Amino acid sequence: MAITGGAFAFTEDLNICRLLNGLWQVSGAHGRIDPTAAIRSMVDYHDAGFTTWDLADHYGPAEDFIGEFRRQLISERGEAALAEVQAFTKWVPRPGPMTREIVENNVDISLRRMGVDCLDLLQFHWWEYGDDRYLEALGHLSDLREAGKIRHLALTNFDTEHLKVIVDNGIRVVSNQVQCSLVDMRPSQQMAPYCQENGIYLLTYGTFCGGLLSAGYLGQSEPAGAALDTASLNKYKQMISAWGGWALFQELLECLNSIADRHGASIANVASRYILDQPAVAGVIAGARLGLSQHIEDNARVFEVNLDSEDEAAIGAVTGRGRNLLEFIGDCGDEYRRR
């Protein structure tokens, strides 16, 4: 099933699929991945129109998988086929000295692993705001962009306050990757308005709550222990508990299921369509369990769903009863730094 309506002009020279394939799930916390099966699965996603990949230097073999996937495309279809691939990686260094040599060496590692001369998008993360050497790192990354090793520079899990600091220091970024879902709408309060004002897009993760936002959990008792058998399920079950608990989440699933039935879609389609319709959002990242399970046909239906004001009001009537996580947790990414 090839998708239609999923293309988006992310930058002047880079079109993406608005549903990105997330490779966090090959990092080791979601079950064993067979490399041969994984590459075959990547080809399936690509051929269906899901051409944009989100990965990171610390997602296990993710960058190596991109490199092998690219080599296979070249072997089977020629160099021209690579023009259809977009691979967005991340650099997540530990705070410390950020010399040009250190920064460039790490970029070079990603270039070698991915088999490219230039990174389409490098998304930078920083763990400790008290160490302002993140500005030095971003300065060097900007220089490497000018030198042709990086096409576009971006961020991941920066809050609005420090995004402003970066912009005010003259560092140009095209996007910030943040957690956003019907359970966690923190980006809509401060981050999205600022991004809209400054021409910066949001790429969102956690939008499916690790798979909990699906029919498989509708009407089910609250999962715990062994039932939460992946890192994603554990993480987003905790987020649901912080937001409003399992009973309110069941009401949300019932609401989404009713809307999905009217649109001939799935709960996951409605949940992701809602986020795609939010201001500043360029794309939603859907985790891909390569070689283990595929949701290509279901995911493609998101581009056929058009939510109306009645749908949005019904969703808002439920989500509005949840806790404001901006007040409870803090702004985007604060859960990684202040807990």
Side-chain angles (χ1 to χ4, degrees), residues 8-17 20-21 23 51-57 59 63 66 70 82 85-92 106-111 114 116-125 138 141-142 144-145 148-157 171-178 199-204 280 282-285:
F8 182 79
F10 187 59
T11 66
E12 291 182 355
D13 61 349
L14 191 62
N15 291 333
I16 67 170
C17 175
L20 291 78
N21 309 308
L23 293 185
T51 60
T52 310
W53 300 87
D54 178 79
L55 51 145
D57 61 336
Y59 289 2
E63 291 187 335
I66 289 292
R70 287 172 52 84
L82 297 181
V85 180
Q86 308 89 45
F88 298 172
T89 194
K90 303 180 190 75
W91 181 38
V92 185
N106 279 276
V107 169
D108 286 343
I109 291 171
S110 291
L111 290 170
M114 294 169 66
V116 296
D117 296 323
C118 176
L119 301 175
D120 290 330
L121 184 78
L122 182 64
Q123 302 167 98
F124 176 75
H125 174 85
L138 285 165
L141 290 171
S142 296
L144 292 172
R145 178 183 57 202
K149 289 193 173 186
I150 301 169
R151 190 186 301 190
H152 297 289
L153 183 57
L155 306 171
T156 184
N157 285 318
I171 297 168
R172 177 167 48 88
V173 296
V174 298
S175 63
N176 186 23
Q177 184 177 139
V178 295
I200 298 169
Y201 286 119
L202 296 177
L203 299 175
T204 75
V284 161
I285 298 163

Side-chain angles (χ1 to χ4, degrees), residues 67-246:
E68 181 56 34
F69 169 62
R70 287 172 52 84
R71 285 188 288 273
Q72 185 161 318
L73 282 184
I74 292 172
S75 174
E76 296 177 357
R77 307 178 187 183
E79 289 273 356
L82 297 181
E84 302 171 352
V85 180
Q86 308 89 45
F88 298 172
T89 194
K90 303 180 190 75
W91 181 38
V92 185
R94 294 180 178 179
M98 288 289 122
T99 64
R100 166 67 181 249
E101 181 181 14
I102 289 172
V103 173
E104 187 165 17
N105 283 344
N106 279 276
V107 169
D108 286 343
I109 291 171
S110 291
L111 290 170
R112 288 195 298 271
R113 293 180 69 189
M114 294 169 66
V116 296
D117 296 323
C118 176
L119 301 175
D120 290 330
L121 184 78
L122 182 64
Q123 302 167 98
F124 176 75
H125 174 85
W126 191 253
W127 291 106
E128 179 53 61
Y129 291 140
D131 184 341
D132 64 4
R133 285 177 288 189
Y134 67 89
L135 291 171
E136 293 180 31
L138 285 165
H140 295 311
L141 290 171
S142 296
D143 291 341
L144 292 172
R145 178 183 57 202
E146 298 307 311
K149 289 193 173 186
I150 301 169
R151 190 186 301 190
H152 297 289
L153 183 57
L155 306 171
T156 184
N157 285 318
F158 271 80
D159 64 13
T160 312
E161 176 185 350
H162 292 87
L163 175 57
K164 290 179 180 178
V165 170
I166 290 166
V167 171
D168 289 346
N169 274 269
I171 297 168
R172 177 167 48 88
V173 296
V174 298
S175 63
N176 186 23
Q177 184 177 139
V178 295
Q179 182 172 294
C180 186
S181 70
L182 287 168
V183 168
D184 180 9
M185 291 297 294
R186 286 177 294 163
S188 67
Q189 298 180 62
Q190 298 178 3
M191 180 65 67
Y194 180 78
C195 287
Q196 280 191 294
E197 293 171 2
N198 291 274
I200 298 169
Y201 286 119
L202 296 177
L203 299 175
T204 75
Y205 66 90
T207 303
F208 301 89
C209 288
L212 291 166
L213 274 168
S214 68
Y217 289 92
L218 176 61
Q220 300 299 307
S221 58
E222 185 170 2
L228 301 171
D229 59 355
T230 70
S232 290
L233 287 173
N234 269 292
K235 175 180 180 178
Y236 295 111
K237 172 56 174 61
Q238 292 176 17
M239 193 62 61
I240 289 166
S241 297
W243 167 71
W246 194 249

